[in-house]
Amino acid sequence: MPDDKQSGKPELASEDGREREARRIAAVRRYDILGTPPDGAFDRIAALAGRLFDVPMATVTIVDTDRVWFKAAYGLEGATQTDRDASLSSSAILTDAPLVIPDTRHDALTRAHPMVTGPARIRFYAAAPITTADGHRLGAVDVRDTRPRRITPEQAAALTDLATLVMDQLELRLSALHMLRRQRELLQVARAARDRAEQDRARTAAFAAVLQSSLLPPALPHVPGLQAACHYTTASVHDIGGDFYDIFPLGAGRWAFCLGDVSGRGATAAALTSMIRHTLRSTALLESDPRTVLEILNKALLADPTAGVRLCTLVFGTLVPDPAGGFTITLTGGGHPPAYHLRPARRGLRPRAEPMQLSGGMLLGVLDGASVVSRTLRLAPGEALLLRSDGLTASRTSHGARFDEESLAAHLTHHAATSTATRAAAVIDDLAALLATFPVGPADDVALLALSATPLGAGGAPVGASGTTHTSGPRPQERA
């Protein structure tokens, strides 16, 4: 058996050590993170660590009493947890400083460790502890390689920054849980005369679904009669942007979707994005008017004057199935670039890509009482709706010209003209291929979300798969 120093457990004979460990485990339980489903925010952090250090393996771990659980694992397909004695993360939580072991075979702490002597054959290990504001080390962000190597002080500092970002996500998740509980209490008081017991059960299930979200959903849900597709291209693999999108159910056959862009980059933008998505998901379950949803979000962005600049452009929409086929869509905007309604040629009408302007909608997070604007459209079978962030129209083509709003409208119109039925997956594939032709990639992150209504069969039911696609792409210079 490894000694207590190697396994990261306080000495059994030390009462102080047992008390410290009990308080640390209580902190782990407080964040309610163990065993939760995959989360795009943490997956992106692990992947970013792997790319930043150019290593084959990176993880975000939480150290429990007798196990180390992987909240995210890059390069370790299928890995979910390991025994605490068999993980180097247990040693990484012993101090506040990063643990860096250039060659595990020549380090007294690791040369006899099963990760070094066993099938994994780890030769390099570095980790930064994930530390709470009150000093409890929950786990670590770590990188590992099968060959010895050294890192710079700047890289060690970057690893600490990633651990801090993980802690920010955990705090936001905990704050969202508290906020949802407060909203539930208020709703119970306001609707006490209604069928409270049934609504409480539905609301509890909906709140649980909200807590499983992240910066980007790992997959889009299946919506009957709808094809949905999305794409995300980052402007830099070494930084985190603030573009986001989401689709989620509202109940009674209704659905909601959104695409937005927050100010800034890095940990601050990621934390703000997570808060916005949690707020949208929770508020939309309680408020049927999309404008009210964005007004509440605006108040949330303005609520903490010490948080610095918290700005967001956003398009938020609701989907209601139309008995005649397709959907009725209500779009509500706050200062975001227009969506495009793509319609192929039919019944003598020319193909069109019409911008869905929401004139008068204001940037969120600037002014109390900011104006938000709504409009309604029908998405008929064979038509598509495209939402996108402004990174798409802030780039240069292979000819050096700017790909602006006029260029995008012309490109989408051509797509509609060459399609008998416009499908979401085809729209996204087309734009992703276009992005790949930009010689230096997009000037900013690009988020794309397309929705298309599937055609009706003879019996009036939607025909064809309603499947979804989810793709992402790097900048051109990073493909090689």
Side-chain angles (χ1 to χ4, degrees):
M1 289 291 291
D3 60 27
D4 289 333
K5 181 177 180 181
Q6 179 172 297
S7 66
K9 296 180 181 178
E11 294 182 57
L12 296 179
S14 168
E15 184 174 350
D16 288 344
R18 290 196 299 271
E19 290 180 356
R20 284 194 301 272
E21 176 66 359
R23 290 193 297 270
R24 191 192 70 81
I25 292 297
V28 170
R29 300 288 185 267
R30 182 172 75 239
Y31 287 92
D32 194 22
I33 193 69
L34 292 171
T36 55
D39 190 312
F42 298 98
D43 292 341
R44 291 178 68 194
I45 292 171
L48 181 61
R51 292 193 295 264
L52 179 62
F53 286 85
D54 192 24
V55 295
M57 294 166 281
T59 58
V60 175
T61 63
I62 303 295
V63 180
D64 199 3
T65 52
D66 294 307
R67 62 169 178 160
V68 173
W69 182 66
F70 298 159
K71 179 56 185 170
Y74 170 79
L76 295 168
E77 185 175 356
T80 58
Q81 66 180 42
T82 186
D83 291 341
R84 183 164 171 170
D85 292 340
S87 173
L88 287 170
S89 294
S90 300
S91 299
I93 66 169
L94 295 178
T95 64
D96 291 324
L99 173 64
V100 180
I101 303 175
D103 191 338
T104 57
R105 291 184 181 176
H106 296 92
D107 190 283
L109 178 66
T110 57
R111 59 191 174 202
H113 196 280
M115 286 185 64
V116 178
T117 60
R121 300 194 177 279
I122 300 301
R123 292 293 303 277
F124 163 77
Y125 180 82
I130 302 166
T131 308
T132 66
D134 51 353
H136 297 298
R137 296 181 284 271
L138 306 181
V141 175
D142 61 22
V143 293
R144 58 193 80 170
D145 203 344
T146 54
R147 58 185 178 86
R149 58 189 301 161
R150 295 186 177 276
I151 65 174
T152 65
E154 290 77 14
Q155 287 178 305
L159 197 60
T160 298
D161 289 341
L162 291 176
T164 301
L165 177 57
V166 170
M167 194 65 245
D168 288 343
Q169 290 296 320
L170 294 175
E171 292 289 358
L172 281 168
R173 187 178 181 277
L174 186 61
S175 296
L177 176 59
H178 292 163
M179 180 185 67
L180 292 172
R181 287 172 177 168
R182 290 195 298 271
Q183 290 178 337
R184 180 185 175 188
E185 293 170 358
L186 292 173
L187 188 63
Q188 287 174 338
V189 172
R191 300 182 179 179
R194 301 184 183 181
D195 194 357
R196 183 178 300 175
E198 180 179 351
Q199 288 189 4
D200 284 350
R201 287 191 294 269
R203 200 171 303 120
T204 299
F207 288 162
V210 169
L211 297 179
Q212 297 175 2
S213 63
S214 61
L215 289 179
L216 293 177
L220 298 180
H222 175 90
V223 181
L226 185 81
Q227 184 181 87
C230 55
H231 180 86
Y232 188 92
T233 293
T234 180
S236 172
V237 297
H238 301 296
D239 204 355
I240 300 170
D243 294 4
F244 63 95
Y245 46 77
D246 201 359
I247 300 178
F248 54 92
L250 297 176
R254 297 172 63 243
W255 295 78
F257 60 94
C258 65
L259 187 143
D261 186 1
V262 306
S263 58
R265 300 187 64 81
T268 301
L272 180 56
T273 298
S274 181
M275 185 275 280
I276 290 171
R277 288 192 59 230
H278 283 308
T279 301
L280 283 175
R281 277 181 166 247
S282 58
T283 306
L285 292 172
L286 310 179
E287 299 289 348
S288 59
D289 185 352
R291 289 174 298 181
T292 303
V293 174
L294 293 199
E295 288 166 359
I296 292 175
L297 173 60
N298 187 57
K299 291 182 183 298
L301 292 171
L302 294 168
D304 185 1
T306 65
V309 178
R310 290 190 165 201
L311 308 180
C312 174
T313 67
L314 180 69
V315 173
F316 175 75
T318 56
L319 286 163
V320 179
D322 189 322
F327 295 85
T328 298
I329 294 180
T330 300
L331 289 178
T332 305
H336 198 78
Y340 278 87
H341 187 186
L342 281 69
R343 288 179 274 191
R346 58 179 60 175
R347 295 178 184 176
L349 296 177
R350 300 177 62 184
R352 288 176 289 171
E354 181 183 357
M356 297 288 100
Q357 299 285 357
L358 296 170
S359 302
M362 297 176 64
L363 189 70
L364 302 180
V366 178
L367 297 174
D368 189 16
S371 173
V372 293
V373 178
S374 291
R375 68 179 296 175
T376 301
L377 64 102
R378 180 172 182 264
L379 188 69
E383 297 179 353
L385 181 70
L386 172 70
L387 282 71
R388 42 73 195 214
S389 59
D390 60 5
L392 180 60
T393 51
S395 305
R396 296 284 175 178
T397 69
S398 58
H399 302 293
R402 182 183 174 190
F403 188 78
D404 54 14
E405 289 291 337
E406 185 177 348
S407 303
L408 176 60
H411 186 89
L412 294 175
T413 299
H414 175 74
H415 181 91
T418 55
S419 305
T420 56
T422 308
R423 300 188 180 278
V427 174
I428 293 300
D429 288 345
D430 181 37
L431 291 175
L434 173 67
L435 284 168
T437 67
F438 293 169
V440 294
D444 197 359
D445 295 339
V446 176
L448 305 172
L449 176 63
L451 311 173
S452 61
T454 56
L456 295 178
V463 249
S466 297
T468 67
T469 61
H470 183 110
T471 62
S472 62
R475 291 167 60 90
Q477 60 265 37
E478 289 158 352
R479 295 192 188 99

